[in-house]
Amino acid sequence: MLDKIKKLHSEITSLKINTRQELESYRLKYLSKKGIISSLFEEFRNIPNTIKKETGQRLNELKQTAQAKFDSLKSSLNTSEETRRDVDTTKPSYSFVSGSRHPISIVRREIIDIFSRIGFIVSEGPEIEDDDHVFTKLNFAPEHPARDMQDTFYISRISAEDSNPGDILLRTHTSSVQVRVMQSMKPPIRTISPGRVFRNEAISARAHCIFHQVEGLYIDENVSFSDLKQTLYYFAHELFGKETRIRFRPSYFPFTEPSAEMDLSCLICGGKGCKVCKNTGWLEVLGCGMVHPNVLEACSIDSRKYTGFAFGMGIERAAMLKYQINDLRLYFENDLRFLSQFKSAI
Ligand code: DAH
């Protein structure tokens, strides 16, 4: 009987089984109630006691080997057949819905990219500021109306009547970052400062109490108004397209002298006159000018040695012009039907 067991053992271990049918025949032949191994157990009852111990051990080993082979083949044949059945490699893959950037982020990134190509770095400042950085050092007279409660969100005011450099407020423009940069860097300075600003305004299609600006500042020896014009000309072409024409109109800001506002030829009608440009052919896009000597001096920069230009624009406004959006509130409503229309390369 020991010989028989040995023969069967090697027969089972060398057996090749490739399909579930072959596995079933194997089970019937060796492991079923009427199979070879069960019949050996029958036989085992009648063998002499002297060889019972060893034969029993061998027989159990045989049964375990046969069973283990069956178990492992069963699971591997199952999975490979299931895989074959369930995976259709000709099926198109599931569509993957990816999000898109907010139009404000797209335009902000484009502006940064455009200016970084001509050597401008990005600098940032705090949204909660003091009067000194937002107004006083930017040459705002103490009674200037921009400091008024109607425009500015104050967090703490030292005196109820008069403004004070120590008053804490939400910045009303990113020009405050100019001051911080000039206080911490020596010329030459070439920087842009994107960020959120806050004004106490009623929300409408044309105004919001939170919006975004980008400030630009360039300070060095011999910087002139023609440098300012050429820089903004390059910028307008890059952001709004090569056909865009620009013009400068004289304006007033306390922190620049001379000051100007820049218009773009209307992006809709190309300058012929339409509803969007109110028949003027031009769209207002930003404020700019030569940094006022008082501002340079207030930030410890020698105004006899250095000159510079600055500009500031609303990102919502730039995006409205670029994408022809007619209501500011759309930017803040998070309506996916609006947001998913904007795809960006950067
Ligand atoms: N700070 C101005 C505003 O919020 C925009 C501005 C105008 C910024 C002229 C400048 C500038 O740097 O030179 O309306």
Side-chain angles (χ1 to χ4, degrees):
M1 182 160 180
L2 276 170
D3 276 352
K4 232 197 234 173
I5 293 173
K6 211 171 158 193
K7 243 177 80 190
L8 265 173
H9 199 278
S10 61
E11 185 180 308
I12 285 172
T13 43
S14 59
L15 206 63
K16 293 260 177 300
I17 295 170
N18 294 317
T19 65
R20 284 213 260 186
Q21 270 158 1
E22 284 171 10
L23 185 66
E24 182 56 9
S25 335
Y26 166 83
R27 189 188 66 81
L28 289 171
K29 183 170 176 192
Y30 298 101
L31 292 165
S32 66
K33 272 200 184 122
K34 292 186 180 149
I36 297 177
I37 295 175
S38 295
S39 71
L40 282 177
F41 273 101
E42 291 290 326
E43 239 179 83
F44 174 72
R45 288 200 202 139
N46 306 321
I47 61 169
N49 279 344
T50 46
I51 54 163
K52 228 174 185 151
K53 192 172 171 205
E54 202 197 341
T55 312
Q57 275 173 359
R58 297 285 162 268
L59 194 52
N60 276 325
E61 275 166 20
L62 176 70
K63 192 181 172 189
Q64 275 162 18
T65 310
Q67 186 66 45
K69 183 169 177 127
F70 175 79
D71 291 343
S72 86
L73 280 167
K74 190 178 172 192
S75 62
S76 69
L77 285 174
N78 265 349
T79 46
S80 59
E81 281 189 21
E82 258 163 34
T83 319
R84 248 175 274 145
R85 184 158 24 90
D86 292 353
V87 175
D88 175 0
T89 49
T90 64
K91 223 168 119 182
S93 61
Y94 294 109
S95 68
F96 178 73
V97 186
S98 68
S100 55
R101 287 191 203 286
H102 193 282
I104 297 301
S105 302
I106 296 175
V107 173
R108 191 194 62 220
R109 291 163 76 98
E110 274 184 36
I111 295 172
I112 292 173
D113 187 55
I114 291 167
F115 281 102
S116 64
R117 277 184 261 149
I118 52 169
F120 281 70
I121 59 161
V122 174
S123 44
E124 289 183 332
E127 293 177 348
I128 299 175
E129 262 292 8
D130 53 28
D131 177 288
D132 200 37
H133 289 88
V134 177
F135 299 125
T136 304
K137 283 204 161 49
L138 287 168
N139 201 34
F140 280 80
E143 69 284 0
H144 194 284
R147 299 177 189 241
D148 204 297
M149 286 285 255
Q150 266 133 44
D151 277 311
T152 309
F153 287 115
Y154 282 91
I155 291 173
S156 70
R157 272 195 119 166
I158 289 168
S159 134
E161 282 102 55
D162 303 318
S163 57
N164 185 298
D167 287 344
I168 305 297
L169 45 90
L170 295 180
R171 66 181 178 194
T172 55
H173 55 180
T174 43
S175 302
S176 54
V177 189
Q178 274 190 36
V179 176
R180 292 199 172 264
V181 170
M182 284 190 269
Q183 285 174 325
S184 61
M185 279 173 77
K186 286 201 173 64
I189 295 171
R190 246 178 297 175
T191 185
I192 53 166
S193 315
R196 280 198 300 186
V197 299
F198 308 84
R199 286 188 200 171
N200 196 351
E201 301 219 33
I203 295 170
S204 72
R206 318 199 114 249
H208 209 285
C209 53
I210 303 177
F211 56 101
H212 300 75
Q213 288 188 332
V214 179
E215 190 74 16
L217 179 70
Y218 186 4
I219 300 194
D220 202 350
E221 291 178 38
N222 301 318
V223 177
S224 69
F225 203 93
S226 61
D227 296 316
L228 165 63
K229 283 180 89 171
Q230 198 54 46
T231 305
L232 292 178
Y233 194 52
Y234 153 77
F235 161 71
H237 273 180
E238 292 296 309
L239 189 64
F240 299 106
K242 288 274 176 276
E243 304 74 41
T244 318
R245 283 169 293 126
I246 57 169
R247 75 171 184 189
F248 290 82
R249 278 178 294 108
S251 186
Y252 171 78
F253 300 102
F255 36 91
T256 44
E257 182 56 39
S259 304
E261 272 172 75
M262 187 176 101
D263 297 340
L264 303 176
S265 54
C266 179
L267 302 163
I268 313 281
C269 64
K272 289 194 203 79
C274 68
K275 231 172 79 183
V276 175
C277 61
K278 299 200 187 83
N279 281 320
T280 61
W282 296 96
L283 301 164
E284 209 178 295
V285 66
L286 57 79
C288 58
M290 301 304 293
V291 180
H292 199 295
N294 290 355
V295 175
L296 295 172
E297 295 296 333
C299 301
S300 314
I301 290 180
D302 186 349
S303 65
R304 282 161 307 172
K305 186 167 178 204
Y306 294 107
T307 51
F309 66 73
F311 57 87
M313 78 187 104
I315 303 184
E316 279 80 358
R317 170 102 187 126
M320 276 175 133
L321 299 179
K322 190 174 163 74
Y323 298 123
Q324 280 131 45
I325 296 164
N326 58 10
D327 193 326
L328 256 180
R329 290 167 293 195
L330 288 165
Y331 293 126
F332 301 91
E333 284 166 357
N334 287 335
D335 186 333
L336 285 178
R337 290 169 302 178
F338 171 72
L339 296 177
S340 61
Q341 295 177 55
F342 302 93
K343 301 279 179 246
S344 66
I346 52 172

